Amino acid sequence: MKKLINDPKAVVVESVEGFGLAHADLVTVHPDPIFIMRKDAPVAGKVGLVSGGGSGHEPLHAGYVGTGMLDAAVPGAVFTSPTPDQILPATLAVNSGAGVVHIVKNYTGDVLNFEMAAELAQAEGVDVRTVLVNDDVAVEDSLYTAGRRGVGGTVLVEKIAGAAAERGDALDAVAGVGQRVNANVRTMGVALAACTVPHAGVPSFELSDSEIEIGIGIHGEPGRHRIPMENADGITDRLLEPVLADLKLSRGEKVLLFVNGMGGTPLSELYIVYRHAVKVLGEAGLSVERSLVGNYITALEMQGCSISVLHLDDEMTELWDAPVHTAALRWGA
């Protein structure tokens, strides 16, 4: 294993410290318990947004702390949920009196720990709502979940719900927007090669040079099936087919297309996937109104990608376009 680390046990702490130093204009790092919060939080009268999860998916979630997205991010150990004693102080720190929305990916540890933190926050007088993200069409249950996993759609939920909070929407409205995004986005991923968790020192799973895993999760969970390697267009077809079958969109409808890298895939390859995905969606009579291409929710250095399709309405489009200024996403601000 070759990684730019010092001690496998210190990866998260040292990475978050470096992130805080690099983006000191945007965020403040709370060291113990560890969480990252928006520099100007709490913002008076604004609903707070808190998300988090296991580390190893950068820039998710710390990279989305800032104007127009999250108020705080809570990092767990690599591929491991943060604990309630991290989530609770982050929730309290960003509460301005308008309440807090937790955006939680559907993994058992995350769900339980955020639920406990929400109950503790409620006991301290903070009104909390939860948006559960479960956009992965690959499987109903996996090693980490009961039901569908939360994957690429998380980025879209955080951006759009974050914009709703930034414009001053009330607590239930912000949560409602996030839930509506989740209900209208579907994602499917593929792995070409596994990643190596620092403290494990060996790949999460084995794939031969001639194999790929369709429907992989962001922790290396197995997907729908393992098949011989195909070209980019063939793989794109395999990812989009179940996404479109699940969304059941009509011709003429508008979508956002998100091609996400898993950490070890060159941007040039992601654009090849995007190119064919636009063609497939066009043939289905769908209009690609907005796009996002790049490494936005990763699995360490895993080679592969995921494709997310979000069925847009006018409000979601407006909120997507709204100004955002974070380490990983910024436009209009």
Side-chain angles (χ1 to χ4, degrees):
M1 179 181 74
K2 295 179 182 178
K3 289 184 178 290
L4 289 171
I5 63 176
N6 296 308
D7 178 352
K9 296 178 181 178
V11 166
V12 173
V13 170
E14 292 184 354
S15 177
V16 170
E17 286 178 357
F19 179 85
L21 292 169
H23 303 290
D25 58 324
L26 297 175
V27 303
T28 299
V29 173
H30 189 280
D32 187 20
I34 192 167
F35 63 87
I36 302 100
M37 62 185 290
R38 180 171 158 170
K39 192 80 172 179
D40 58 350
V43 179
K46 176 187 169 303
V47 171
L49 260 68
V50 177
S51 192
S55 296
H57 304 303
E58 290 76 17
L60 195 82
H61 292 275
Y64 304 125
V65 174
T67 303
M69 283 190 80
L70 299 177
D71 293 273
V74 190
V78 175
F79 294 176
T80 303
S81 171
T83 60
D85 65 0
Q86 294 174 264
I87 302 165
L88 176 61
T91 301
L92 299 178
V94 303
N95 176 50
S96 70
V100 175
V101 173
H102 285 169
I103 298 175
V104 185
K105 301 188 300 302
N106 189 32
Y107 298 94
T108 301
D110 292 279
V111 171
L112 292 175
N113 289 341
F114 270 91
E115 185 177 79
M116 184 178 296
E119 291 174 358
L120 293 169
Q122 297 274 13
E124 296 203 27
V126 179
D127 212 359
V128 179
R129 300 289 184 273
T130 298
V131 176
L132 187 66
V133 184
N134 59 352
D135 56 309
D136 189 0
V137 300
V139 291
E140 290 295 339
D141 295 284
S142 76
L143 301 178
Y144 295 83
T145 65
R148 291 182 170 181
R149 304 175 291 214
V151 285
T154 311
V155 178
L156 311 186
V157 171
E158 291 179 355
K159 169 62 184 81
I160 292 173
E166 199 71 43
R167 74 180 178 186
D169 287 14
L171 181 62
D172 286 334
V174 174
V177 166
Q179 289 159 355
R180 195 163 86 247
V181 174
N182 180 65
N184 284 279
V185 64
R186 298 292 185 273
T187 301
M188 184 78 157
V190 60
L192 310 186
C195 61
T196 299
V197 176
H199 63 261
V202 294
S204 300
F205 57 93
E206 294 294 333
L207 275 177
S208 75
D209 289 342
S210 61
E211 292 179 316
I212 59 175
E213 183 90 14
I214 299 290
I216 199 74
I218 56 173
H219 306 95
E221 308 99 315
R224 284 189 172 187
H225 42 261
R226 188 166 293 191
I227 63 170
M229 179 66 185
E230 295 183 335
N231 64 24
D233 287 359
I235 292 171
T236 303
D237 288 336
R238 288 184 183 272
L239 298 183
L240 276 176
E241 186 276 327
V243 166
L244 295 179
D246 206 274
L247 278 173
K248 298 180 176 64
L249 299 177
S250 301
R251 298 183 72 86
E253 292 185 309
K254 300 174 181 179
V255 299
L256 183 155
L257 174 60
F258 174 26
V259 175
N260 173 66
M262 302 300 284
T265 302
L267 195 56
S268 58
E269 296 178 20
L270 298 180
Y271 280 116
I272 291 171
V273 171
Y274 181 85
R275 166 186 172 273
H276 187 64
V278 169
K279 177 176 179 289
V280 172
L281 294 176
E283 290 171 350
L286 302 174
S287 174
V288 178
E289 298 290 312
R290 299 293 185 273
S291 63
L292 188 65
V293 182
N295 290 284
Y296 292 101
I297 172 171
T298 63
L300 295 170
E301 81 282 19
M302 184 187 289
Q303 289 180 275
C305 73
S306 63
I307 299 178
S308 301
V309 176
L310 170 63
H311 178 204
L312 287 169
D313 60 29
D314 290 343
E315 184 183 31
M316 282 192 275
T317 304
E318 177 186 342
L319 292 170
W320 178 260
D321 291 344
V324 59
H325 191 91
T326 69
L329 274 187
R330 55 180 70 186
W331 57 71

